[in-house]
Each structure stands twice: as structure tokens, then as C-alpha cells.
Amino acid sequence: VRNDFVPNYNLHNIYRVPKQVDWAIANLVSNAAHYHLYSLLPKAIKPDDNYLYCIFSTTQIALQLIKEGRLQVIQIFEYKEPADAAYHLLNVCERFEVDVNETLVQLNGMVDERSNLFEQLYKYFPHVQFGSLTDAFTYEEEIKEFPAHYFSHLFHLATCVS
């Protein structure tokens, strides 16, 4: 069991790490700082308004909802179809009484502008943008060959560790 303190929110994030993973981190990369995604996201994203920050993989969405500048929830959802993903985002907004018409949705990770997933999201969320790479790093040309939002979340999270 691990515990990360998130000072700006006075929160403790308590989570489990499988013993084999914990051993590998402690013995193979002992000098590395390691944190849970939920501990880093509040440091990475600090808007003043309504903001839904999403990280997509092929079967999951990690999202952070901020309402009027205040952290509401960070959670991971499984999805199979683009409609499932849209449902999860809409449901989170409804549960926390956030108006989708007044919420900026930032898409990061494996989502393409010409995909069914993007079309489903854009149907319900009028303010959608893709993540961009932070100016805190210089990037290899190979990374620049892909859309910035594929990797943007990784680099933004890396700025929170120092």
C-alpha cells in the first residue's frame, strides 16, 4: 500500500501496488520517483473554470473533472464503443452538476480527430480541444511525426514530478 500527499488539495491518495511491481520499482529503478496518476493529475491541470481532462487508451478513459476551478473527481472508466465513452463523460458531468455547454474537454492519448470516438464526443461537448506538448521539454523528431495529443499527457505529468 502506497500513499501520496497532494499538497495543493490537502489530499492523501492511498493505493495498492502489486508486490512484484513494487519490488521491481524499488530494486530496478530505485532512484526514480514514482507516483500514482491520481496524485499527479491535480498538479498538472489547474484551470479556473469547468474542465474535463481526458486520457484515452483503446479501452479506457482516465478523466479528471474540475468544476469552477475545484477538483471534483479523478477516475478511470472502461469502454468498448465510442458511445460508451461519451456516456461516461456525460454521466460524470451530470453527477457533478457541470453544464457540458460550459465545459472545456481536453482530449489526450489515443483518440483521432477523424474517428467515431471523436464524433461521438463532439456531438455532446461543443468545447473540445486536443492536448499539446508542453514547452518544458525539447522533443525528438520522431515524436513530432505524431499528433501532439498522443503524448501530451505523459510530458505534462512528467513536469509534476520535479
Side-chain angles (χ1 to χ4, degrees), residues 22-153:
D22 193 52
W23 182 90
I25 290 171
N27 291 290
L28 301 176
V29 285
S30 59
N31 295 350
H34 40 90
Y35 301 93
H36 193 278
L37 173 66
Y38 293 4
S39 303
L40 293 177
L41 277 176
K43 296 178 185 179
I45 312 303
K46 301 172 189 168
D48 295 327
D49 297 321
N50 296 344
Y51 194 80
L52 187 56
Y53 184 88
C54 305
I55 304 170
F56 285 87
S57 72
T58 55
T59 60
Q60 291 183 332
I61 314 160
L63 65 82
Q64 174 177 258
L65 177 65
I66 296 179
K67 178 182 179 181
E68 299 169 359
R70 297 181 59 167
L71 176 64
Q72 301 298 303
V73 66
I74 302 173
Q75 192 163 348
I76 294 177
F77 295 96
E78 302 280 332
Y79 73 94
K80 291 183 181 177
E81 302 291 328
D84 300 339
Y87 167 80
H88 289 305
L89 273 61
L90 287 166
N91 188 44
V92 164
C93 287
E94 181 181 324
R95 296 280 178 226
F96 289 91
E97 299 176 348
V98 173
D99 185 348
V100 297
N101 295 309
E102 296 177 7
T103 301
L104 176 60
V105 179
Q106 187 180 79
L107 307 179
N108 299 277
M110 306 314 298
V111 58
D112 190 88
E113 192 171 9
R114 292 177 298 264
S115 67
N116 290 336
L117 176 57
F118 178 79
E119 287 178 19
Q120 278 292 322
L121 297 174
Y122 195 70
K123 230 190 267 188
Y124 302 104
F125 295 93
H127 308 290
V128 177
Q129 72 179 22
F130 286 97
S132 59
L133 295 173
T134 175
D135 294 335
F137 300 101
T138 56
Y139 301 97
E140 295 292 327
E141 289 303 316
E142 290 82 2
I143 287 181
K144 294 178 184 177
E145 292 175 10
F146 295 94
H149 67 275
Y150 282 13
F151 307 107
S152 55
H153 59 288

